[in-house]
Amino acid sequence: MIQIPKQLSLLCIILILCFTFHTGVFAEDFSNVPAKGKVTMIDLGAKTCIPCKMMAPILVKLEKAYKGKADIVFIDIRKNRQQASRFKIRAIPTQIFFNEQGEEVYRHVGFLNEKSIIEQMAQMGIEKPDPASKG
């Protein structure tokens, strides 16, 4: 096994987080969230929250895997406080799943692993992503 210096590992994590928080899954305009006509999962959290940081790479991977099938959206409620009250958030992270009509069908508070997100999406009729795709 290759040993990677801690400083390099930390730098890589910071760069990944900086990049991912500026891509599509981490949007700033929430007027079309949840998306009408498309299953949507919203993760409400904060960039400084440890469980939220742990979920960031999962969200990026799934956003790519579900592209065109479902929307995966991250909302930083420390920067967008009005969204916390809009979605009635009491703790972070909170994930909310909406059906095609924009109706909430499932809510989870705390870290949610990739497998659980995929299972919930499957229950909502969204085909599981190809396991061969690395995202």
Side-chain angles (χ1 to χ4, degrees), residues 3-15:
Q3 293 292 332
I4 300 173
K6 286 184 182 179
Q7 295 87 354
L8 184 57
S9 296
L10 182 58
L11 179 61
C12 289
I13 291 170
I14 290 169
L15 289 172

Side-chain angles (χ1 to χ4, degrees), residues 41 43 47 60 80-81 86 89 98 116 120:
M41 183 201 110
D43 180 53
K47 294 177 187 177
V60 170
N80 303 282
R81 294 188 186 280
R86 174 184 171 200
I89 302 305
F98 296 88
S116 297
Q120 179 59 41

Side-chain angles (χ1 to χ4, degrees), residues 71-127:
D71 284 350
I72 308 287
V73 180
F74 173 79
I75 300 175
D76 186 329
I77 63 163
R78 294 204 175 122
K79 288 187 174 182
N80 303 282
R81 294 188 186 280
Q82 69 282 11
Q83 300 302 316
S85 55
R86 174 184 171 200
F87 291 107
K88 298 173 180 61
I89 302 305
R90 297 187 166 275
I92 59 172
T94 295
Q95 301 80 37
I96 308 173
F97 293 79
F98 296 88
N99 63 17
E100 294 90 348
Q101 291 75 39
E103 302 164 332
E104 181 177 331
V105 295
Y106 180 72
R107 180 179 289 240
H108 177 270
V109 177
F111 177 84
L112 190 61
N113 65 36
E114 182 178 343
K115 180 181 176 194
S116 297
I117 294 170
I118 291 170
E119 287 174 0
Q120 179 59 41
M121 294 294 240
Q123 287 179 19
M124 297 173 70
I126 302 301
E127 189 177 313

